[in-house]
Amino acid sequence: MMKAIQVNQFVSPSLDNIDEAITMSDKVSMPAIQLSSSSKKGKPSKNNKMLVRVLACSISPGDALMVHGNMIFMHPDTFPFTPGMDICGRIVDSNHSASFKNGDIIVASNGTMPQGGMAEYMIVDEAEAVLKPSTVSVDKAAASSSAITARNAVLDNVKAGDRVLILGGSGGVGSAAIALAKHSKHGKASFVATTSTQADLCKSLGADVVIDYTKDNWWEMEWEQPFDKIIDTVGGGNFTNKAHRVLKPGRLGGAFIAVAGDDPKPDLTTVWKAMKFMFGLPLRPMYTWLNARRLPSYKLLMPYDIPEGRAEVLGMMERGELDVTLDARSPFAFNENGVKVAFRAVIGGHAHGKIVVSIKGGEQDGDGADDE
């Protein structure tokens, strides 16, 4: 048996049932590895499942959607289930892995379904795992998933000399996006502005201007020049229809990169709602493409190249080119109250940096990095 967080029912939008919905249990069955044909023969395999002792698990908006039950294709097979997907942990059983061995500390995700990470042990697909660099702390390694999204938004869209506006600069994705846009050797922006109430944090990451969104509307401000790119990590607010006021049109390279959509918490609780949502996704990119003379192009950022991006981000962290910003309250304790407070911070949009829960207890990662 092991300790694990259990979601017994979907959490309501008002969070009024969170005390009953999210609980801690010390009587959860440990996950079991289903042996592949290669593993049964004792041969190394590249398509492998491994048992990992979880050291830390970060919480993302995807985890919040999972516990809310917003998306029918993310519903669990049964209740209760264990939330969490982005972890750093020590391999307990490598299951004849061709790439890893017992004792290796890895950074991994369980793929597209946010389940299993908020527990002492988790089954990890070898293809989703990357070795943790010795100089990167366990907590920051577990938090690196948001930097992968930021990497895709910035490095695949921002060019050297661009003027960039990042909406939501103090969140997990936004904070990494500021650092990458301003300091990346792959495409350093000439000017980076962001929206946040955390001016000191954002400026320390490299932002030239921080807009307090509680006082000023970025689309109504006078800018010396229009922006080349807007990266929206917040969603909602009808921002896409306001962007053309301060963003170059598509014919001049202007682009609105939507990390979060018009509704960051869409109601996709039925098949019909999910189909309607999916069929509507191509419409705005197509419309802006047809009107590129006057409107900026619209790009909805979908997850891609996650394992490759994880390795690249961890490499940048190891070389000192990128530092993942943790919320000042992280790491949260691995107990019922600690996890509830952590989920409240993410669901309520009150996190300033990445939210991480420390699960390792007294165990250390052996390289001293998690003493940072």
Side-chain angles (χ1 to χ4, degrees):
M1 294 293 178
M2 67 174 183
K3 290 182 179 180
I5 293 297
Q6 300 281 267
V7 177
N8 306 299
Q9 57 185 278
F10 289 132
V11 178
S12 67
S14 64
L15 306 181
D16 58 359
N17 69 332
I18 193 170
D19 288 336
E20 300 80 32
I22 297 179
T23 58
M24 166 76 84
S25 174
D26 59 1
K27 297 180 180 179
V28 178
S29 298
M30 285 185 58
I33 296 175
Q34 294 182 350
L35 297 179
S36 65
S37 58
S38 297
S39 297
K40 290 177 181 178
K41 297 176 183 178
K43 297 180 180 180
S45 171
K46 292 184 178 180
N47 184 17
N48 212 33
K49 303 292 185 181
M50 304 183 297
L51 179 63
V52 174
R53 171 66 165 97
V54 181
L55 302 177
C57 179
S58 64
I59 302 178
S60 70
D63 296 303
L65 291 174
M66 184 74 191
V67 300
H68 275 317
N70 291 59
M71 299 186 177
I72 190 169
F73 49 83
M74 289 173 63
H75 283 186
D77 294 331
T78 184
F79 287 100
F81 69 90
T82 299
M85 64 185 298
D86 299 311
I87 63 106
C88 179
R90 185 190 303 274
I91 297 175
V92 174
D93 185 352
S94 66
N95 193 21
H96 304 289
S97 167
S99 304
F100 303 98
K101 64 182 184 300
N102 290 355
D104 282 346
I105 299 176
I106 60 167
V107 186
S109 172
N110 64 352
T112 57
M113 186 62 73
Q115 291 189 53
M118 205 66 70
E120 291 181 314
Y121 293 90
M122 178 182 178
I123 298 294
V124 169
D125 191 325
E126 179 179 334
E128 296 287 342
V130 176
L131 280 173
K132 182 187 80 67
S134 62
T135 56
V136 177
S137 76
V138 163
D139 294 336
K140 289 191 175 184
S144 62
S145 56
S146 292
I148 302 171
T149 303
R151 177 254 171 258
N152 293 345
V154 174
L155 300 191
D156 291 347
N157 293 283
V158 176
K159 300 177 181 178
D162 275 357
R163 291 171 57 85
V164 180
L165 171 61
I166 296 169
L167 307 182
S170 59
V173 176
S175 57
I178 293 173
L180 287 171
K182 192 64 177 180
H183 302 299
S184 172
K185 63 182 180 181
H186 302 285
K188 186 176 180 181
S190 62
F191 178 83
V192 175
T194 190
T195 60
S196 177
T197 57
Q198 306 297 306
D200 291 341
L201 169 63
C202 293
K203 287 185 177 180
S204 73
L205 295 169
D208 296 292
V209 173
V210 181
I211 306 152
D212 185 341
Y213 60 85
T214 66
K215 300 177 180 178
D216 297 300
N217 295 322
W218 52 266
W219 61 90
E220 295 176 339
M221 296 174 63
E222 294 290 334
W223 297 98
E224 182 179 342
Q225 299 178 47
F227 290 100
D228 297 281
K229 305 292 186 305
I230 292 180
I231 299 174
D232 180 15
T233 74
V234 178
N238 196 29
F239 294 146
T240 54
N241 292 329
K242 300 168 181 175
H244 68 278
R245 304 182 191 182
V246 298
L247 184 59
K248 290 180 180 178
R251 64 184 176 85
L252 297 179
F256 186 97
I257 299 105
V259 175
D262 292 339
D263 184 355
K265 299 176 182 178
D267 178 7
L268 308 181
T269 51
T270 67
V271 173
W272 167 246
K273 289 178 179 178
M275 290 178 62
K276 184 178 179 181
F277 176 81
M278 296 301 292
F279 282 125
L281 290 180
L283 297 181
R284 178 169 279 131
M286 185 180 299
Y287 180 77
T288 57
W289 178 75
L290 292 171
N291 293 273
R293 292 189 63 82
R294 62 183 184 87
L295 295 178
S297 63
Y298 177 87
K299 298 182 179 181
L300 179 62
L301 193 71
M302 304 296 286
Y304 60 92
D305 294 340
I306 300 298
E308 294 84 354
R310 183 174 295 113
E312 184 177 357
V313 162
L314 288 168
M316 288 190 284
M317 293 170 69
E318 181 180 29
R319 295 187 297 271
E321 299 172 5
L322 174 66
D323 185 25
V324 171
T325 301
L326 300 183
D327 184 276
R329 295 164 290 179
S330 291
F332 288 77
F334 181 53
N335 56 43
E336 188 172 311
N337 182 65
V339 173
K340 287 177 182 176
V341 174
F343 265 105
R344 286 180 183 276
V346 174
I347 293 171
H350 303 309
H352 302 303
K354 193 69 176 177
I355 297 292
V356 178
V357 174
S358 177
I359 301 178
K360 58 183 176 291
E363 183 173 352
Q364 299 296 312
D365 66 5
D367 57 26
D370 63 337
D371 292 331
E372 292 178 359

